[in-house]
Amino acid sequence: MLAQELIARKRDGAELTPDELVEFLGAYGAGHVPDYQMSAFLMAVLLNGLSATELGTFTRAIIDSGRRLSFARDGGPPAVDKHSTGGVGDKVSLVLAPLLAEYGLRVPMMSGRGLGHTGGTVDKLESIPGFRTDLDLAEFQSVLADVGCAMIRQTPAIAPLDGRLYALRDVTATVPSIPLISASIVSKKVAEGIEALVLDVKYGSGAFMRDPEQAVLLAETLVDLAESEGVRATALLTAMEQPLGQAVGNALEVREALQCLSGEGPADLREVTIALAVETVLLAVPGAARPAVQSELEEMLDDGSALARFGRLVERQGGDPAVVGQSDVLPTAPLAATWESPAEGFVTGADAYQIGMAAVELGAGRRRLEDDVDPAVGIELLLRCGDPVRRGQAVARIHARSREAADRAIERLRKAYRFGDEPHEAIPLVWRRVPEREPGVAL
Ligand code: URA
């Protein structure tokens, strides 16, 4: 195989054979194909796509680059997971994993760090003093057995090729590709050994797929690919036009997730979390009825049992369990500044991309994979789309290390917020489900 010939064929729209793809990816994994050739190949894929056969081969090659866990035949509860395509203020996983464990499912969750304008579950968890996301496989399985859920960062043991390809895509403008995103997500989830997967496919300004129709296509591709690898899957298309909830920034988001786990906090966070949790249960538990599942899950948030489960998870992964109690052990920033409304009327837009970048300006996110994040800084959105506003009213509270950083974030917030005389029509929070039919119901 000559790498440049294979790249040229993909560039010209040809379909590669499974042998060619496996050899090329294997050679990259072994260090025989350099990053610059893989980058050119990824751009050719972004421009020309992959056929269904190519996508399956590509995904399996990533799965086969590491270990494949298996829970299917050990007699325990169904192993399930949820994956989001990435957003701003998206702390759903922190609530959903303990909630599903409390319901009786097993949740071996491997998450990512924040990248670009999007936040990452791993960064949020690591803002809890002592919390370890770098468990080895034995520790991961032991926490899972004890608590019913375990939350770790990507490990070299599971789909290591995805970690390398994702880092390369991030710096070569090749992230927003339906086949590349699908292969990246499905490969890690299949390798986790789960039976059922729910995908939170974001659409809107803060999503990788901003265009709703493209997001639907991504959802369909993800579901088909997961199913073809033997994992039952459903996708929900959920809005990422403005951030989810009011908190953006790691420790701030943990606080908000704790509120949701206590039956409080923003309504949109609870709605999306419950919607995804219900879909997961329906996929994993044959015969489960939607209304009953929904009220049981709601009850587990309201009666504190999901919160207690989160406390057990924190403790088992080395974190300070006091985080779930009255004492606030989470880090706080030295400076809190407010940004006030320059206008009167209604908030008609709070662009999730710009708000995500405002958080990056503060240090809550990273520009490059190797950057550190500041767990304490971030933004509280005091007003969101549809809210009435008076001139001079506080719109956002900025938690910063310095006045300069706060001012840079405020510059972004000026670009993010729009004001008008009429409340605008909000896009649906939970818009569509893929497939449209209920799991287990024949067409
Ligand atoms: N999340 C992933 O895990 N991979 C992608 O390519 C995009 C979002």
Side-chain angles (χ1 to χ4, degrees):
M1 175 204 64
L2 211 52
Q4 54 268 46
E5 280 180 2
L6 197 133
I7 297 164
R9 292 196 22 243
K10 196 71 245 167
R11 177 199 65 199
D12 296 340
E15 180 168 351
L16 303 180
T17 67
D19 286 349
E20 283 173 324
L21 268 176
V22 168
E23 195 184 338
F24 182 60
L25 285 168
Y28 178 68
H32 305 316
V33 166
D35 280 348
Y36 52 80
Q37 285 187 312
M38 182 52 84
S39 305
F41 176 79
L42 293 169
M43 187 56 83
V45 171
L46 180 128
L47 297 173
N48 292 328
L50 290 177
S51 71
T53 308
E54 286 177 316
L55 179 57
T57 308
F58 192 85
T59 306
R60 275 188 298 281
I62 301 177
I63 297 169
D64 293 341
S65 68
R67 280 189 55 186
R68 194 170 173 153
L69 308 183
S70 170
F71 299 102
R73 272 173 233 92
D74 70 358
V80 301
D81 200 0
K82 180 276 324 183
H83 195 87
S84 154
T85 55
V88 180
D90 180 1
K91 64 281 291 174
V92 167
S93 292
L94 274 63
V95 184
L96 184 121
L99 178 60
L100 290 174
E102 187 60 25
Y103 189 88
L105 302 178
R106 251 186 307 187
V107 193
M109 189 177 271
M110 197 173 75
S111 303
R113 295 194 178 280
L115 212 46
H117 68 284
T118 67
T121 300
V122 167
D123 293 328
K124 295 171 212 212
L125 287 169
E126 288 181 355
S127 71
I128 301 171
F131 195 101
R132 285 180 54 219
T133 59
D134 62 343
L135 307 185
D136 64 29
L137 274 188
E139 290 172 309
F140 180 49
Q141 285 172 318
S142 152
V143 175
L144 187 61
D146 288 355
V147 186
C149 58
M151 300 178 83
I152 57 164
R153 63 189 190 213
Q154 284 185 333
T155 122
I158 297 177
L161 197 49
D162 176 59
R164 288 186 58 198
L165 289 176
Y166 194 80
L168 199 55
R169 286 167 56 214
D170 183 49
V171 291
T172 55
T174 49
V175 171
S177 148
I178 289 178
L180 294 179
I181 294 176
S182 302
S184 162
I185 292 177
V186 171
S187 59
K188 335 186 239 272
K189 297 293 141 175
V190 170
E192 275 177 7
I194 54 170
E195 291 167 43
L197 171 65
V198 168
L199 297 145
D200 183 7
V201 178
K202 304 286 187 196
Y203 74 107
S205 71
F208 285 126
M209 290 290 148
R210 293 171 171 224
D211 172 44
E213 295 314 320
Q214 285 293 103
V216 172
L217 202 56
L218 173 60
E220 289 169 349
T221 308
L222 280 162
V223 168
D224 288 349
L225 186 61
E227 297 263 354
S228 72
E229 293 303 319
V231 174
R232 295 194 294 285
T234 299
L236 291 184
L237 284 119
T238 72
M240 189 34 71
E241 194 59 26
Q242 64 175 342
L244 189 64
Q246 289 177 259
V248 180
N250 299 297
L252 292 173
E253 292 193 42
V254 171
R255 282 195 191 90
E256 193 165 78
L258 289 166
Q259 287 171 2
C260 187
L261 280 163
S262 315
E264 294 159 10
D268 60 343
L269 172 61
R270 179 169 166 124
E271 184 182 335
V272 171
T273 306
I274 290 283
L276 291 163
V278 168
E279 294 301 337
T280 317
V281 174
L282 294 186
L283 269 181
V285 181
R290 183 178 286 276
V293 171
Q294 167 133 2
S295 53
E296 275 179 77
L297 291 168
E298 304 252 10
E299 182 65 27
M300 287 166 189
L301 292 182
D302 294 335
D303 69 8
S305 52
L307 179 68
R309 180 77 59 159
F310 185 69
R312 283 172 57 195
L313 172 78
V314 170
E315 189 159 20
R316 278 295 269 109
Q317 294 200 208
D320 186 342
V323 76
V324 301
Q326 296 302 314
S327 85
D328 192 353
V329 297
L330 291 165
T332 48
L335 185 144
T338 51
W339 175 57
E340 279 127 28
S341 171
E344 196 86 19
F346 290 90
V347 177
T348 55
D351 183 293
Y353 172 78
Q354 291 293 352
I355 294 172
M357 289 311 292
V360 172
E361 296 284 3
L362 292 167
R366 52 171 66 71
R367 292 170 195 277
R368 294 154 53 96
L369 206 59
E370 58 274 20
D371 291 348
D372 284 332
V373 297
D374 184 336
V377 299
I379 303 163
E380 278 175 273
L381 307 172
L382 307 174
L383 293 180
R384 296 194 299 150
C385 280
D387 287 340
V389 60
R390 284 175 284 101
R391 197 183 307 275
Q393 184 177 352
V395 179
R397 189 175 298 118
I398 297 105
H399 298 258
R401 283 277 153 210
S402 66
R403 188 68 237 182
E404 295 71 44
D407 288 342
R408 282 197 303 274
I410 288 173
E411 270 319 301
R412 287 278 185 177
L413 291 177
R414 279 191 225 285
K415 292 189 199 147
Y417 269 85
R418 287 184 301 281
F419 303 94
D421 295 336
E422 305 281 335
H424 83 316
E425 210 175 305
I427 65 170
L429 185 58
V430 179
W431 176 44
R432 276 176 70 171
R433 182 173 181 286
V434 173
E436 282 180 66
R437 70 189 155 79
E438 290 279 318
V441 177
L443 279 179

